[in-house]
Amino acid sequence: MSSDTPPLHMLLPAPEVLAPDPSEQRLATIYAPPARRHVRVNMVSSVDGGAWGDDGRSGSINDEADWRVFRVLRALADVVLVGAGTARAEAYTALDRPRGLAHLAPGPLELALVTRSGRVPGTVLDGPRLPWVLTGSTGAEAAAAAVGADRVVVADDDGTVDLAAGVAALAERGMGRVLCEGGPHLLATMLGAGLVDELCLTTAPQLVGAGPGRIVADGQQDGDLPVRPPRPARLAHLLAAPSGTLLARWDLRHRAAAGWAPTTTVP
């Protein structure tokens, strides 16, 4: 933890100051997953809704405050789920528990890529463990060539990836606490299919203007499902940093009680 690490101020549900802490015990308590099977999404957005900065990466709009929560979310997860395109654009590498936070959860942190084609970025292949790959029947051969057949989950839906079946297969393999880091197309599909229990959204105090997309992809591209009707969300907590960065945790688990049902078809 660097000397630049900021305190975080809890604004809701009750005022509290979370001072920098190398062990991050208090943040870990606040963000502890409520169940062994839980799908959490973590995304960052500018004030005007941009999902990335002028370099095409989300890393250009986050800061040390976001980094504190980012590390804790990874430390608490069993597996990080990400689209292969995002892994490629954001230069993902092989994962492990964030340094100094291995005490927050047992076992290694796994990486799972979602790819229809089965193509795997080379940057994630150089590490102690190969990633898992969620793909459909059309991508199974390419994925197996990259990571081995034992690390491939074939969840097929007429040539595309059946994410519900893929997430269930990860849970059966001991990876029930899923942290999805996008990108926007993957998030759109997961929201439409009713797979997201919780959205952690960092709002960066920047305006990036026209160009960058939203955290949920627009249009019906690559199998995205619409969220219709709009899904209700309950604000579980809100943190703020001195920089103006806001870190919100939105609970989507009460959707059924609110009459919301997942979309099952693309119109």
Side-chain angles (χ1 to χ4, degrees):
M1 183 166 287
S2 73
S3 59
D4 296 328
T5 302
L8 296 174
H9 297 260
M10 177 84 78
L11 303 181
L12 295 170
E16 180 181 351
V17 178
L18 286 76
D21 172 17
S23 70
E24 294 292 19
Q25 292 288 355
R26 181 58 182 143
L27 268 183
T29 298
I30 292 171
Y31 282 97
R36 280 299 307 166
R37 294 189 63 164
H38 184 260
V39 177
R40 167 183 282 158
V41 175
N42 185 36
M43 302 291 280
V44 61
S45 170
S46 65
V47 171
D48 55 345
W52 56 81
D54 57 6
D55 64 352
R57 297 184 179 184
S58 62
S60 59
I61 59 171
N62 60 21
D63 61 9
E64 288 291 327
D66 179 65
W67 184 242
R68 280 190 69 181
V69 171
F70 175 85
R71 295 178 72 247
V72 168
L73 296 186
R74 281 195 170 185
L76 293 172
D78 297 322
V79 60
V80 171
L81 182 69
V82 64
T86 294
R88 193 172 290 111
E90 301 278 353
Y92 272 61
T93 57
L95 300 185
D96 210 339
R97 297 277 173 215
R99 184 173 298 177
L101 300 183
H103 61 286
L104 295 181
L109 177 63
E110 300 282 357
L111 174 65
L113 302 176
V114 179
T115 167
R116 183 185 301 179
S117 68
R119 291 182 295 166
V120 177
T123 55
V124 302
L125 299 176
D126 184 17
R129 290 177 309 283
L130 292 172
W132 293 86
V133 178
L134 272 58
T135 190
S137 56
T138 58
E141 184 176 351
V147 301
D150 60 328
R151 304 288 286 186
V152 177
V153 176
V154 180
D156 193 68
D157 182 12
D158 194 23
T160 64
V161 184
D162 183 337
L163 285 171
V167 168
L170 290 176
E172 291 169 1
R173 291 164 171 80
M175 293 171 279
R177 293 177 175 174
V178 177
L179 173 62
C180 177
E181 296 180 352
H185 288 292
L186 178 58
L187 177 52
T189 306
M190 292 188 68
L191 283 171
L195 295 176
V196 181
D197 296 306
E198 181 177 295
L199 172 64
C200 294
L201 178 62
T202 297
T203 302
Q206 301 181 40
L207 287 88
V208 298
R214 299 168 58 235
I215 64 168
V216 180
D218 295 326
Q220 293 301 303
Q221 303 178 37
D222 300 329
D224 293 341
L225 297 175
V227 181
R228 296 177 183 168
R231 173 171 306 182
R234 181 182 66 84
L235 184 60
H237 72 236
L238 179 64
L239 306 177
S243 64
T245 297
L246 299 176
L247 301 113
R249 183 166 66 90
W250 295 96
D251 179 13
L252 309 184
R253 288 172 296 161
H254 65 302
R255 57 189 178 272
W260 188 89
T263 301
T264 56
T265 59
V266 178

